[in-house]
Amino acid sequence: MTEAGRERAALSAEFERVGPGVPTLCGGRTAGELLAHLLVRERRYLVSLLGIPAPSVLRAAERRMARLPWLEMIELLRTGSGGWLPGRRPTDGLEFLRLYVHHEDIRRARLGWEPRPPEVYRDDTLWHGARTLGRLAYQRSPVGVVLRRPDGESWPVRRGPRPVTVHGQPGELVVHMCRRPRVRVQAAGPPADVSAALAARPGTLFGGFAATRPPDGSGQHTTGYNEG
């Protein structure tokens, strides 16, 4: 089974465990609304594209999806998008990251959340994805941005002057780039450059919103935030 397949199974089990009414970190959605959001993007892909210029179309599709029985919705997620079937989302290489972030949207909405324990293959897959996602997340940064994981491996995702380095476990870096409000990373560089780089991230990656608390600016060279 691929990492995406494992994450899909784990997310499905998480939805089944928590039920539709719990809060998440995905744009203020409940778990039920998040699952409907996911299913529309996977199984009503053309509708989700129409929803970009016409958000009311997307909201209506999500409301219709949310009327399905809860366990039926979970089974639709568990069985996947169906590849290239008409109207369904094609595999785009970001499936694992999307599922991982939405799983974290549920986990991190709870008090006392903790990052997942390290896991070599999963973290290597996340690191590879973070390098791709980082180019999108930081494309508007006015300064350079380098990602660095705890083993010291680093990757520049934005070329530019006065590069800022964002340190963290691969999964934390992925969640951070999606501007979720609870994440554990350290951003090193002049405070003004750190603030500019972090502010440049879009607030809409994987259905999110611009809710990440800005760094506090303390210290001359290192700004970090641990939100719990």
Side-chain angles (χ1 to χ4, degrees):
M1 183 182 290
T2 64
E3 283 300 309
R6 279 187 280 272
E7 194 62 32
R8 182 178 293 277
L11 177 56
S12 299
E14 186 78 3
F15 275 122
E16 192 166 4
R17 188 182 69 80
V18 302
V22 301
T24 77
L25 300 184
C26 183
R29 297 176 176 91
T30 64
E33 292 165 338
L34 173 56
L35 181 51
H37 169 84
L38 260 171
L39 292 176
V40 167
R41 276 153 183 74
E42 288 196 344
R43 293 176 171 268
R44 301 290 184 271
Y45 183 55
L46 298 181
V47 172
S48 74
L49 292 180
L50 289 174
I52 296 173
S56 61
V57 173
L58 183 58
R59 289 194 295 270
E62 290 180 355
R63 286 195 297 269
R64 288 193 297 271
M65 185 67 75
R67 296 190 190 113
L68 294 175
W70 181 238
L71 293 181
E72 182 177 334
M73 291 173 66
I74 292 172
E75 188 59 26
L76 289 174
L77 178 67
R78 183 177 285 117
T79 55
S81 64
W84 284 97
L85 292 179
R88 298 190 180 182
R89 187 183 197 105
T91 299
D92 59 6
L94 294 177
E95 178 187 13
F96 170 52
L97 297 187
R98 186 181 301 111
L99 295 169
Y100 182 89
V101 169
H102 287 318
H103 194 172
E104 293 302 305
D105 282 332
I106 300 172
R107 294 184 68 256
R108 294 172 190 239
R110 297 193 291 264
L111 292 176
W113 72 275
E114 290 291 335
R116 301 191 207 183
E119 185 179 300
V120 174
Y121 187 74
R122 183 201 67 210
D123 289 349
D124 284 347
T125 307
L126 284 165
W127 175 245
H128 179 78
R131 289 158 41 173
T132 301
L133 188 65
R135 290 194 289 271
L136 175 62
Y138 283 110
Q139 62 182 326
R140 297 186 184 277
S141 173
V143 298
V145 179
V146 177
L147 303 181
R148 179 169 294 163
R149 57 188 298 183
D151 64 6
E153 185 177 357
S154 61
W155 189 265
V157 293
R158 172 68 171 169
R159 305 283 183 180
R162 306 183 308 281
V164 165
T165 301
V166 184
H167 304 255
Q169 294 286 354
E172 295 302 298
L173 292 171
V174 167
V175 175
H176 151 82
M177 287 186 286
C178 295
R179 290 195 81 157
R180 294 323 200 246
R182 294 179 179 174
V183 66
R184 294 179 183 172
V185 303
Q186 291 283 329
D193 291 339
V194 169
S195 295
L198 300 190
R201 294 165 298 159
T204 54
L205 288 176
F206 300 151
F209 63 116
T212 301
R213 187 179 73 193
D216 61 17
S218 60
Q220 292 186 336
H221 300 293
T222 302
T223 302
Y225 52 98
N226 287 332
E227 299 187 333

